[in-house]
Amino acid sequence: MTFCRFSPSYQSKNQTVIDNVFITDFLPKAPDLCVKAYILGLSKCGNADDSENNLKYFAETLKVCEEDVISLFKYWEDEGLVQVLSTDPIEVRYLPISSSGGNIKKFKIDKYRDFNIQAQELLGERMIMPNEFAEFYNLIERYHIAENALLAIIKYCVDCKGFNISPNYILTVAKDWEREGYRTLEQVQEKIEELGVVDDKMSMILSAIGAKRRIQIEDKELLNKWLKVFGFDLNVILYIVKMIKTRGRKIDVNVLDNHLTKYFEMKLMAIPEIENYENEKENLYNVAVAINKELGVYYEDLTKEIDTYVVPWVNMGFDLETLKMVADNCFKSSIRTLEGYHDKVVKLFKLGIVNIHSYMQYLADKLAIDEKIKKVLTTLNFSRNVNNIDRGFYSTWTGDWGFGDDVILYGAELSRDKANAMQYLNKILSNWNSQGVKTMDKAKNTSIDIPHEDSFVKHNYTKEQITSLINNLDEVEV
């Protein structure tokens, strides 16, 4: 008789398909060997005639005795994922996994008698249905939450929400706490005590908001996030509540949470920082509008732009006048996106240029260099504007090679009548640089003959030598 096979409602496939519900709801809580046995059996279900689809093969593969293999599948039978139709000979039928996590496990009537009585007393007249009891049992057996711990959670939820609370709500809270590691009575009491400490603080916040209701578990979880995860002081939270109300805006705990999350992400943790940000918001809005106008872009909602770009620019020390001028220059240079503009602003900041005076000086210095380059172009008989290629050449001539403007202009005079004047100028200066010629006197007394290809000494280099030479170029700063 076949060991493992699909039930008629479980379609056989050529590949082994594992249901996502198994991965999310069953696998995390199951013992390792049980998971291995389930997947191994699942792989054999598609081929009932497989010679390895037998108890001996499973025992040898899993390195356990045959009795233990049966116990592993009994575990999954309790979980509602398989049926052990026979143990001698062994026959296991795999069942489809429903989105609710499989069939509700059947429990012995007397096993949870005391738990049933106490849970029903805690929920008052609201009768707990059999399927709801089954979900509670599931928490105890699959999630390993102690009975007394689960009763403590039920009581806490009722105290917070009242007798009309839904068992599904209790189940959600219990699962959330279990994920945080609260499974025993002592651990649950510690969690409740921790949440109880925040009651007075949350009462103050709800009172400031104007909410006349009892504190909910969600309120406490939010306050824990604000105080412990974000690190806000209670006085800061109360200030934010007052600020929102003063500006005539609607407020509840969710609106407050949105504000605190935004301030946390922007690293605004103290009242003066938040106060300054809010007071500057109109100015920040005007900055965004002005920058966008200069760049030629438009966004209906500027909130993200202000938080992502404008606030950092202002924090760097830039004023509106400087930012507008930089934007205008970017537009004229065909830089017309916020990302491209932001790169320019960051580079200026690194150069220590954050105000209009330093920026104007920066531009003046750049224009002065362009004027020098323009003289070179005029000497070469070029009647065009200076471009970035020219600036790159000039930077190499003066910065890397160390030539003065007089030597460069002299080289330009010698190159003006050549077919490719700029190319010839680069060759002259390169030749002088290799010979250590840096002054006018030496330049005038040095031959300007450009070495011809035939004059070079021929070398036969190996592939490894060529690779090494090319790699050494990485050390040259460009």
Side-chain angles (χ1 to χ4, degrees):
M1 185 177 289
T2 302
F3 179 11
C4 290
R5 62 188 176 92
F6 285 114
S7 64
S9 56
Y10 201 126
Q11 295 291 327
S12 176
K13 298 178 183 288
N14 292 327
Q15 69 272 8
T16 302
V17 179
I18 302 176
D19 196 305
N20 284 335
V21 176
F22 173 81
I23 295 173
T24 57
D25 290 2
F26 293 92
L27 185 148
K29 305 297 177 185
D32 291 349
L33 270 177
C34 291
V35 174
K36 292 178 181 179
Y38 181 86
I39 296 175
L40 181 60
L42 189 63
S43 72
K44 298 301 179 186
C45 286
N47 187 358
D49 299 326
D50 189 341
S51 61
E52 294 178 341
N53 195 357
N54 56 67
L55 183 59
K56 181 180 179 181
Y57 173 78
F58 274 62
E60 290 175 350
T61 302
L62 298 173
K63 295 182 174 56
V64 296
C65 65
E66 295 183 357
E67 290 76 11
D68 287 339
V69 174
I70 297 174
S71 297
L72 296 175
F73 281 97
K74 283 288 187 180
Y75 171 87
W76 292 117
E77 184 176 47
D78 287 342
E79 293 295 323
L81 269 60
V82 305
Q83 285 180 321
V84 180
L85 302 178
S86 170
T87 57
D88 188 19
I90 180 71
E91 182 181 3
V92 177
R93 175 180 293 173
Y94 274 63
L95 303 173
I97 305 175
S98 68
S99 59
S100 62
N103 297 339
I104 295 178
K105 178 180 174 182
K106 295 180 180 180
F107 300 90
K108 294 181 180 179
I109 297 175
D110 296 332
K111 185 174 183 180
Y112 293 109
R113 186 182 300 277
D114 292 339
F115 172 84
N116 294 350
I117 294 172
Q118 294 179 64
Q120 186 61 72
E121 288 177 351
L122 289 171
L123 284 169
E125 296 180 359
R126 198 284 189 198
M127 295 299 296
I128 305 174
M129 297 293 102
N131 64 314
E132 293 170 343
F133 270 124
E135 291 289 354
F136 284 139
Y137 307 153
N138 215 28
L139 282 174
I140 295 169
E141 300 211 358
R142 281 189 54 215
Y143 289 82
H144 309 294
I145 299 177
E147 288 183 44
N148 52 7
L150 183 53
L151 289 169
I153 293 173
I154 295 172
K155 182 180 185 305
Y156 179 74
C157 291
V158 171
D159 290 341
C160 291
K161 290 280 192 178
F163 289 115
N164 291 327
I165 187 172
S166 163
N168 285 332
Y169 182 89
I170 298 172
L171 291 166
T172 300
V173 171
K175 289 178 181 179
D176 287 343
W177 288 12
E178 186 276 332
R179 277 193 290 270
E180 295 176 22
Y182 300 99
R183 300 182 184 90
T184 68
L185 178 60
E186 292 75 16
Q187 291 170 336
V188 168
Q189 287 175 334
E190 178 185 340
K191 174 72 172 179
I192 293 172
E193 184 178 346
E194 177 185 321
L195 292 174
V197 171
V198 307
D199 280 0
D200 291 339
K201 295 179 180 179
M202 196 67 215
S203 293
M204 294 174 66
I205 293 172
L206 289 178
S207 177
I209 289 175
K212 297 180 180 179
R213 59 173 176 78
R214 70 168 69 192
I215 299 172
Q216 306 294 324
I217 297 176
E218 294 86 350
D219 299 329
K220 299 180 182 185
E221 297 286 2
L222 279 176
L223 185 56
N224 258 338
K225 181 177 75 171
W226 300 337
L227 296 176
K228 293 189 175 182
V229 179
F230 289 171
F232 283 106
D233 184 81
L234 178 61
N235 291 330
V236 175
I237 298 173
L238 292 172
Y239 165 79
I240 294 170
V241 173
K242 182 179 178 181
M243 177 194 71
I244 296 172
K245 292 181 69 177
T246 301
R247 300 187 180 210
R249 300 171 187 169
K250 293 182 179 180
I251 182 172
D252 56 25
V253 291
N254 293 320
V255 171
L256 178 57
D257 181 54
N258 290 336
H259 276 73
L260 290 168
T261 300
K262 180 179 70 174
Y263 295 143
F264 173 72
E265 291 173 349
M266 296 172 65
K267 297 180 173 58
L268 304 175
M269 305 298 294
I271 290 176
E273 295 173 330
I274 296 170
E275 190 174 41
N276 181 66
Y277 166 77
E278 291 296 338
N279 291 336
E280 288 292 321
K281 222 170 187 180
E282 185 175 353
N283 177 52
L284 296 173
Y285 177 84
N286 293 333
V287 169
V289 171
I291 298 301
N292 292 350
K293 183 178 180 181
E294 296 293 341
L295 290 176
V297 298
Y298 173 78
Y299 298 100
E300 185 173 348
D301 184 4
L302 299 177
T303 304
K304 186 174 181 180
E305 177 183 347
I306 290 172
D307 293 344
T308 305
Y309 293 114
V310 179
V311 171
W313 297 337
V314 172
N315 287 341
M316 288 177 190
F318 287 94
D319 55 38
L320 176 58
E321 188 179 4
T322 307
L323 290 171
K324 285 175 64 177
M325 182 168 287
V326 175
D328 177 62
N329 290 335
C330 283
F331 180 83
K332 292 174 180 176
S333 302
S334 298
I335 298 172
R336 298 172 186 177
T337 65
L338 286 173
E339 293 81 1
Y341 174 75
H342 178 69
D343 289 341
K344 293 295 181 184
V345 171
V346 171
K347 288 177 181 178
L348 289 172
F349 176 72
K350 290 181 178 179
L351 292 171
I353 301 168
V354 297
N355 57 52
I356 194 66
H357 302 293
S358 58
Y359 185 62
M360 291 299 292
Q361 183 60 51
Y362 169 77
L363 292 180
D365 293 341
K366 290 292 183 183
L367 288 173
I369 293 173
D370 275 10
E371 287 298 320
K372 294 179 179 180
I373 298 173
K374 185 66 176 176
K375 288 182 180 179
V376 176
L377 296 179
T378 301
T379 303
L380 292 172
N381 288 328
F382 289 171
S383 57
R384 61 172 175 78
N385 291 327
V386 177
N387 59 40
N388 283 332
I389 295 176
D390 302 326
R391 295 185 183 101
F393 287 153
Y394 186 80
S395 176
T396 300
W397 301 335
T398 57
D400 297 336
W401 295 351
F403 288 115
D405 290 313
D406 56 344
V407 177
I408 295 171
L409 287 172
Y410 176 62
E413 290 174 3
L414 299 175
S415 307
R416 79 171 73 187
D417 296 326
K418 302 300 179 181
N420 295 303
M422 181 65 77
Q423 183 183 94
Y424 195 83
L425 173 58
N426 270 311
K427 288 182 178 180
I428 288 177
L429 294 177
S430 174
N431 192 31
W432 286 347
N433 179 58
S434 65
Q435 297 181 60
V437 177
K438 301 295 181 181
T439 65
M440 278 292 291
D441 289 341
K442 286 188 176 182
K444 289 181 178 180
N445 293 305
T446 302
S447 172
I448 63 169
D449 292 336
I450 306 300
H452 192 270
E453 181 181 352
D454 294 338
S455 66
F456 289 113
V457 178
K458 302 291 184 179
H459 293 282
N460 292 320
Y461 293 102
T462 66
K463 181 179 179 182
E464 289 74 16
Q465 288 174 320
I466 295 293
T467 301
S468 176
L469 290 170
I470 295 298
N471 289 340
N472 283 339
L473 290 176
D474 293 340
E475 300 174 5
V476 179
E477 293 187 5
V478 178

